Amino acid sequence: VSREQTVQNHANCGFLRMGADGLLVSTFGIQGRLSTGECAQDFAVRTDGALDLLNGPGLNLQFRDASGTLVSTSGRIFPAGADPGYRTAARTLLRLGNGQYMAGGYVGVCFTCDPGDLDWAVARLNADGSVDSSFAGGLLRQPSARSLRTLVELPDGKVLGAGYATAFGDATQISR
């Protein structure tokens, strides 16, 4: 999105799209503003301006065109094994160079557990948002790692993740 910036507004669970001049782009959403219904935790912007939104509470992807119009929604990102109803959330989204995605967050081991009992969770998704079961059987879990917060694709195609980790004295952890 050359010279345009899309900014997430957590307070209103929406987005703003501004031009290089700082003014809202009127062709996006309603006068430059877009409400997504659920609070998007992270997003990727495609070269054509389309948005791929990661819904943490809904644990799915929303695909929107450059104007913000909803095109489609994926199924659940963290599949069976990421027990629904437990403390489970998707927090970070990375669009890979091959068109797939990596989504990360955390999975609880029980509903009433201490937050320190959370596992990092990472899923690789196909371009349509469906879970790629060839990657770690659909879900990679890092025990006692608390919460994965960001993912970055390295030049060699490997992915670097960072977040909180209780296994290392409640410190920040980086994994590759």
Side-chain angles (χ1 to χ4, degrees):
V1 180
S2 65
R3 307 199 55 109
E4 282 186 11
Q5 187 175 23
T6 302
V7 179
Q8 183 178 11
N9 180 344
H10 284 284
N12 295 320
C13 299
F15 289 80
L16 304 173
R17 181 165 276 170
M18 298 176 288
D21 57 6
L23 298 177
L24 295 176
V25 176
S26 63
T27 57
F28 178 74
I30 300 173
Q31 298 179 345
R33 298 173 180 88
L34 172 69
S35 175
T36 59
E38 292 184 356
C39 289
Q41 295 297 316
D42 201 359
F43 65 98
V45 181
R46 297 183 190 210
T47 55
D48 66 356
L51 292 173
D52 305 323
L53 310 180
L54 175 68
N55 283 321
L59 295 169
N60 64 13
L61 285 181
Q62 280 187 7
F63 299 100
R64 293 180 177 265
D65 65 18
S67 70
T69 302
L70 181 64
V71 175
S72 65
T73 302
S74 77
R76 187 176 175 83
I77 292 171
F78 294 158
D83 308 306
Y86 291 171
R87 295 179 182 192
T88 302
R91 293 286 186 235
T92 183
L93 178 69
L94 169 66
R95 183 171 163 81
L96 300 170
N98 66 4
Q100 288 185 303
Y101 301 87
M102 298 291 285
Y106 59 84
V107 177
V109 293
C110 70
F111 186 70
T112 58
C113 292
D114 181 275
D117 291 328
L118 300 174
D119 295 345
W120 276 15
V122 181
R124 185 169 62 200
L125 311 172
N126 297 309
D128 65 358
S130 63
V131 175
D132 178 357
S133 60
S134 72
F135 174 78
L139 181 70
L140 175 66
R141 290 176 77 151
Q142 174 67 39
S144 300
R146 192 177 245 178
S147 183
L148 181 61
R149 293 300 192 168
T150 192
L151 294 165
V152 176
E153 185 173 18
L154 301 173
D156 64 3
K158 293 181 181 173
V159 175
L160 184 67
Y164 304 109
T166 54
F168 300 100
D170 213 18
T172 300
Q173 178 176 344
I174 299 175
S175 294
R176 182 171 149 178

